[in-house]
Amino acid sequence: MADRLTSRLVLSAAARAGAPTNLWFTERQLYYEICRLMVPGHLIPRWIGFTVPPVLPFSLVRTWIRRCPGVDGLLGDPEPVSSDTGAATAEPDLFDYALPRLLICQSPAVADMLRANGLPMESACPVICVDDLPLHSGLARMLHTTSLTDDGARIYVLHDDSPSGLTLPASIAAMIEVPDSATVVPIGLRRSQTAPLHLARTGLGRRSAVDVESVPPAMLLRSVHRLVRDVTRRREPAVDLRAARAAGFLTWPDH
């Protein structure tokens, strides 16, 4: 009976995690979705900023998840990384091209999730994790080549809202050969981002870390797409009054 109830909870949370387009998600993302089902703090208005303590221990919920058969969209554990990331390519001249952007994730699981959901192809942005560093020399050369045709490459860093995460962007330059023309751009998480979303933190203390995986999968994917493309949100008016005045409120089509 207990297994039936927990399986129902897991499958319900999995359906939410994969919405709206059958997204892939990590085990920890599913855990946080289960927490949101049990305590829907995310429904509270965003102007009241706070993070929430964990509802249940991850180890317990992971047991529920692994006992539940047929969880569609659930990714397995990340595979061990290659010691020479970027070296395996059938195109010998690949490294002669420019690489305008690169995303480095603190979490291997998050990097896997973003790749599984097509971010590298759709946003023309390769995704790696910190464990993949140092970069293959060819990738570093591609970043440098961008400066010859553009304003320089941008290396985006996606990290947890934690002491180690917040210092990661500054450490990237020491981990890889960053070209002088490239810019390291941290895109979060920061407490100013996690508090309005009422994300679950990893501990009971108010300043406890908040994982990137606590962000709902669809929101995370959409936000990273927007950030690596440098798309700035602009609030559109309900009616474009300037265009309406120019065209006339009541105009007939040309014959």
Side-chain angles (χ1 to χ4, degrees), residues 16 32-53 55 194-200 216:
R16 289 164 53 105
Y32 285 115
E33 199 63 55
I34 290 171
C35 290
R36 276 188 287 273
L37 269 177
M38 300 185 71
V39 180
H42 61 289
L43 299 179
I44 297 173
R46 291 191 179 188
W47 59 268
I48 308 174
F50 60 89
T51 57
V52 299
V55 178
T194 59
L197 297 176
H198 311 132
L199 298 178

Side-chain angles (χ1 to χ4, degrees), residues 9-212:
L9 179 62
V10 168
L11 293 176
S12 178
R16 289 164 53 105
T21 55
N22 298 319
L23 298 176
W24 293 95
F25 49 87
T26 71
E27 190 173 59
R28 193 169 283 273
Q29 284 177 319
L30 180 53
Y31 159 69
Y32 285 115
E33 199 63 55
I34 290 171
C35 290
R36 276 188 287 273
L37 269 177
M38 300 185 71
V39 180
H42 61 289
L43 299 179
I44 297 173
R46 291 191 179 188
W47 59 268
I48 308 174
F50 60 89
T51 57
V52 299
V55 178
L56 293 167
F58 175 66
S59 57
L60 173 63
V61 177
R62 181 169 54 186
T63 301
W64 297 352
I65 294 171
R66 296 189 175 185
R67 285 180 180 172
C68 182
V71 181
D72 292 336
L74 179 61
L75 292 166
D77 294 332
E79 296 182 1
V81 299
S82 166
S83 60
D84 202 9
T85 300
T89 174
E91 302 295 335
D93 61 346
L94 173 66
F95 298 129
D96 293 334
Y97 291 90
L99 181 63
R101 60 179 74 94
L102 174 70
L103 174 63
I104 301 177
C105 300
Q106 183 176 7
S107 164
V110 169
D112 264 7
M113 177 264 182
L114 295 174
R115 287 191 293 258
N117 287 299
L119 186 134
M121 289 295 293
E122 293 178 24
S123 285
C125 180
V127 179
I128 65 173
C129 72
V130 172
D131 292 348
D132 295 323
L133 301 178
L135 286 179
H136 181 265
S137 59
L139 290 178
R141 189 166 71 248
M142 292 173 74
L143 292 171
H144 178 70
T145 301
T146 303
S147 65
L148 304 178
T149 58
D150 207 339
D151 296 330
R154 297 173 76 83
I155 301 172
Y156 297 95
V157 183
L158 179 63
H159 56 80
D160 297 333
D161 177 10
S162 67
S164 61
L166 294 172
T167 59
L168 181 61
S171 304
I172 291 295
M175 296 181 184
I176 64 176
E177 185 182 342
V178 178
D180 293 338
S181 59
T183 304
V184 176
V185 183
I187 59 175
L189 292 175
R190 298 180 297 277
R191 193 52 50 115
S192 61
Q193 297 167 316
T194 59
L197 297 176
H198 311 132
L199 298 178
R201 52 186 186 263
T202 57
L204 297 176
R206 291 187 177 182
R207 298 304 302 173
S208 297
V210 178
D211 293 338
V212 168

Side-chain angles (χ1 to χ4, degrees), residues 199-249:
L199 298 178
R201 52 186 186 263
T202 57
L204 297 176
R206 291 187 177 182
R207 298 304 302 173
S208 297
V210 178
D211 293 338
V212 168
E213 287 168 283
S214 65
V215 181
M219 180 184 294
L220 176 64
L221 186 62
R222 182 173 63 248
S223 298
V224 174
H225 271 301
R226 178 174 57 83
L227 290 167
V228 300
R229 294 176 185 177
D230 285 332
V231 176
T232 303
R233 284 184 175 177
R234 184 164 64 93
R235 189 178 296 276
E236 297 288 349
V239 177
D240 188 342
L241 295 179
R242 182 176 299 176
R245 291 191 186 101
F249 286 98

